């Protein structure tokens, strides 16, 4: 691996990028209803994909905020205690 934490070979970079895409589709199919759309028009499918992507983005943002808040609380209240 290179110093930046990314794989140095092109195949490794492609695999790492592809893994994030696969994880996105797994989450939106299993938990956000992407696999359950019932539309016959392309416009309807595009709108559904936009709404599912928006839901995924908002949930990811909330999770990141929650993790930051938990870290801040831990640092503030438990900094004097030994780990």
């Amino acid at each position: 691996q290179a110093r930046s934490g990314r794989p140095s070979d092109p195949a490794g970079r492609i695999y790492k990028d592809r893994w994030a895409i696969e994880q996105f589709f797994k989450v939106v199919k299993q938990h956000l209803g992407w696999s359950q759309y019932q539309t016959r028009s392309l416009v309807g499918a595009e709108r559904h994909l936009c709404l599912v992507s928006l839901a995924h983005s908002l949930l990811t943002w909330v999770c990141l905020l929650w993790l930051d808040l938990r870290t801040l609380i831990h640092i503030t209240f438990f900094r004097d205690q030994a780990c």
Side-chain angles (χ1 to χ4, degrees):
Q1 281 191 343
R3 292 189 133 189
S4 65
R6 293 183 59 99
S8 57
D9 64 310
R13 278 184 277 157
I14 291 170
Y15 180 75
K16 188 175 180 179
D17 293 342
R18 183 69 189 161
W19 180 253
I21 294 168
E22 291 294 332
Q23 289 300 308
F24 168 78
F25 278 109
K26 180 180 178 181
V27 169
V28 298
K29 284 180 179 179
Q30 289 181 351
H31 302 292
L32 299 176
W34 172 243
S35 62
Q36 299 165 357
Y37 72 96
Q38 297 179 5
T39 182
R40 295 176 189 261
S41 69
L42 179 60
V43 174
E46 289 173 346
R47 288 178 182 163
H48 187 72
L49 177 60
C50 287
L51 290 173
V52 168
S53 297
L54 177 64
H56 182 267
S57 297
L58 288 174
L59 289 171
T60 301
W61 180 67
V62 167
C63 287
L64 291 174
L65 284 177
W66 174 246
L67 289 175
D68 286 345
L69 181 61
R70 286 179 52 195
T71 303
L72 180 63
I73 290 170
H74 182 73
I75 290 170
T76 304
F77 294 110
F78 303 109
R79 66 177 169 220
D80 297 329
Q81 296 180 358
C83 294

